[in-house]
Amino acid sequence: DAKTTQPPSMDCAEGRAANLPCNHSTISGNEYVYWYRQIHSQGPQYIIHGLKNNETNEMASLIITEDRKSSTLILPHATLRDTAVYYCIVRVVDSGYALNFGKGTSLLVTP
Amino acid sequence: GAVVSQHPSRVICKSGTSVKIECRSLDFQATTMFWYRQFPKKSLMLMATSNEGSKATYEQGVEKDKFLINHASLTLSTLTVTSAHPEDSSFYICSARVPGSPNEQFFGPGTRLTVL
C-alpha cells in the first residue's frame, strides 16, 4: 500500500465544513483512496472511497486531485459527533489484506 | 450494512489468567477476519489474520502462543490472551472482510482489556 501523510490534528467549528487533507504521492494506478474514522473507544467506521473521480455520499465528499497525489475529505456541516480520528488509507481494492492504519488526523469539532 | 459484534466489550482480569474475546459477523459469512490491538493514543496495529478453517497468520512480533486465534466457523473468530499481564492491557478490535463490498472491512466495537 502507498504511504499517506496527514496532519496530526485539526479543529473545526460546529456547522462549518471540515476539510481533511491527505497526501499520497506514491499512489499506484490501481490503488484507491479510502477514508475511515474512529470515534473514541469505538471500532473504525468506513466513510468513503474513490479511485480518481470525486465521490459523495451521505457522510462526506472525497475530492481527489487530477494527478491523484493528494485528496481531501470534506464533512460539509461538521457536528460535535464528528469529533474523531480520521484515517486516509491507500490500497488496491478487495486485495484481501488487512487495512494498514497510519496515525490519522484527530479532528476536534468545537461548539 | 454488515454488522460485526464483539464480546465482551470490557473485561478486567488478574495477571496470569486467560481471557477470550469473541468476534461475530451477525448477518454475513466472513472467511477472513482480522485482529487489531490499539494502545492509548496510538493507531491500530494488526496482530493477525484469521481464515476460517486454517491457522491464523500472525504479524511480526506477535506471539502466536500467547494470542491464540480460532476461526472455527464462518461467523465466529476468537482471540484468547493467555497468561495475561498488565502490558497486554489494550483495546482489541476485530474486523471482517466482505469480498466484493466497497467497504473493505467491517469493524467490531472493540474490547477493552485491563489486566491488574
Side-chain angles (χ1 to χ4, degrees), chain B:
Chain B
V3 178
V4 176
S5 70
Q6 281 185 242
H7 178 79
S9 58
R10 186 179 294 267
V11 57
I12 301 172
C13 70
K14 293 182 178 180
S15 185
T17 61
S18 294
V19 175
K20 179 185 284 188
I21 301 170
E22 294 184 347
C23 176
R24 294 183 183 274
S25 57
L26 297 186
D27 50 1
F28 66 101
Q29 294 183 330
T31 55
T32 303
M33 290 184 172
F34 304 98
W35 286 94
Y36 295 82
R37 179 169 54 182
Q38 186 175 32
F39 292 108
K41 298 187 183 300
K42 299 293 185 181
S43 187
L44 286 80
M45 295 298 296
L46 179 67
M47 298 177 67
T49 300
S50 169
N51 291 301
E52 186 268 338
S54 63
K55 290 184 178 181
T57 302
Y58 291 82
E59 295 299 299
Q60 192 172 10
V62 178
E63 301 175 58
K64 63 180 181 181
D65 294 330
K66 180 172 182 60
F67 299 98
L68 302 179
I69 292 173
N70 184 284
H71 193 160
S73 79
L74 289 172
T75 59
L76 174 64
S77 176
T78 60
L79 168 67
T80 301
V81 182
T82 62
S83 186
H85 291 285
E87 57 265 31
D88 298 323
S89 298
S90 188
F91 192 50
Y92 292 87
I93 306 168
C94 72
S95 71
R97 177 172 172 256
V98 182
S101 169
N103 178 356
E104 281 278 326
Q105 294 173 29
F106 291 87
F107 287 83
T111 296
R112 175 77 58 191
L113 170 64
T114 302
V115 184
L116 302 177

Side-chain angles (χ1 to χ4, degrees), chain A residues 13-89:
Chain A
E14 187 178 20
R16 304 298 292 269
N19 298 289
L20 292 90
C22 179
N23 286 319
H24 32 78
S25 59
T26 60
I27 191 170
S28 300
N30 62 345
E31 288 183 313
Y32 284 65
V33 180
Y34 283 81
W35 283 85
Y36 282 76
R37 74 178 182 184
Q38 185 181 24
I39 295 170
H40 182 62
S41 292
Q42 295 183 23
Q45 175 190 23
Y46 166 83
I47 301 174
I48 199 168
H49 78 288
L51 180 63
K52 54 183 179 180
N53 296 323
N54 298 338
E55 302 287 344
T56 296
N57 63 20
E58 64 278 5
M59 290 184 68
S61 295
L62 173 61
I63 308 297
I64 303 174
T65 58
E66 194 168 339
D67 63 7
R68 302 208 323 123
K69 292 184 177 182
S70 66
S71 60
T72 301
L73 179 74
I74 302 173
L75 307 178
H77 305 287
T79 71
L80 299 180
R81 287 177 295 181
D82 292 322
T83 292
V85 178
Y86 288 77
Y87 296 96
C88 170
I89 300 171

